[in-house]
Amino acid sequence: MQGARWRTGPAGPGEVELSGPRVRAGGGRITAAWRDDLRYTARQAGYHGGASLAEVTVPVLAFVPSGIEIPAGWTALPAERTAPEWWLGGSDPTEPQEPAPAPRARGTRRQQPQSEGLFPQPGHSTPGEQTVRSKPFETQREFVRNAPTNTAVAAALDALLEAGGKLSPAAVAAAAQAATGKSERNPQRFVTMLERLLNIDGYPVLQLVESGRTVHLDRELLRQQFPEGTAL
């Protein structure tokens, strides 16, 4: 007795024995192929019944309406993590890199000081941390009830700046959650709170665009409204 990816009898290389009440064939004990190129019938399109990862894994997707709180213990999957880099037009990791030029044999050359850039150096604050410690932010925070913590706001700002100013609401909330350990069960509400904290006098420092699918951070407006964030 056998199928395309399973048979009866002792297991050999590339196979594993399976037994139990859920094994309906072979008297409750079969041998299944875990190697994906192993089969027991003529080659055909589509195979089932084996023990490879693709055959035993059951994907489960849970969909929540936009604006509704995520169930406790769950985390929203950011859209940025649903597609590989090559799908989004990223660089090909297999592309050969040009070798670095050989160092000069004679003399030495003074190294030019490098700018701090987006990522903070040891002992320096991040742009987000400098923003939440600025006087304008502290003043604005007094007028926003139930505002997220400064740690959450700073992490969200740093994630947006690192991404070039645009992320999905779920990705912004995930950055805050990673920094605080507190689940942000409603990403849209979290972004709304960020708008209230950052959009002083109605200037759109941060806003939802593309029908609420994207959070946009205006780096220049952020610098103007919170000039104490010198790393911006």
Side-chain angles (χ1 to χ4, degrees):
M1 181 182 296
Q2 66 180 20
R5 295 276 293 161
W6 65 272
R7 63 177 180 82
T8 55
E15 301 174 325
V16 62
E17 289 190 18
L18 303 175
S19 63
R22 295 188 179 184
V23 179
R24 307 298 296 273
R29 179 181 295 273
I30 64 169
T31 293
W34 60 261
R35 208 176 67 193
D36 55 13
D37 61 348
L38 185 61
R39 60 187 61 85
Y40 309 113
T41 60
R43 187 179 182 87
Q44 55 186 336
Y47 297 94
H48 302 281
S52 67
L53 181 61
E55 292 168 300
V56 300
T57 302
V58 179
V60 177
L61 301 177
F63 296 91
V64 179
S66 178
I68 301 299
E69 281 195 355
I70 300 170
W74 290 64
T75 302
L77 178 66
E80 292 82 354
R81 293 171 51 190
T82 60
E85 184 178 353
W86 57 264
W87 181 269
L88 302 175
S91 59
D92 185 357
T94 62
E95 184 177 349
Q97 302 292 329
E98 294 184 2
R104 295 178 179 271
R106 297 181 180 179
T108 59
R109 185 176 182 179
R110 179 182 300 176
Q111 293 184 350
Q112 297 295 328
Q114 297 182 354
S115 60
E116 182 177 295
L118 180 63
F119 299 98
Q121 302 299 318
H124 291 69
S125 300
T126 67
E129 290 170 342
Q130 293 186 16
T131 298
V132 299
R133 288 202 299 263
S134 66
K135 189 62 177 178
F137 184 87
E138 292 178 353
T139 302
Q140 180 70 5
R141 187 178 179 84
E142 296 177 359
F143 300 98
V144 180
R145 297 182 57 186
N146 301 319
T149 65
N150 284 0
T151 300
V153 176
L157 288 175
D158 289 333
L160 280 161
L161 289 169
E162 182 179 347
K166 287 187 176 182
L167 283 175
S168 66
V172 174
Q177 179 176 336
T180 63
K182 178 183 177 182
S183 176
E184 297 293 344
R185 297 173 57 188
N186 192 326
Q188 277 75 18
R189 181 180 181 277
F190 176 70
V191 173
T192 298
M193 299 301 290
L194 293 180
E195 289 179 316
R196 295 176 182 174
L197 288 168
L198 300 172
N199 295 352
I200 299 177
D201 296 331
Y203 287 93
V205 174
L206 182 142
Q207 58 183 330
L208 280 168
V209 297
E210 299 175 357
S211 301
R213 295 190 301 271
T214 303
V215 182
H216 177 255
L217 175 67
D218 190 314
R219 184 189 186 104
E220 181 59 25
L221 277 179
L222 180 66
R223 186 189 64 80
Q224 293 176 10
Q225 294 292 80
F226 305 94
E228 296 175 46
T230 55
L232 297 174

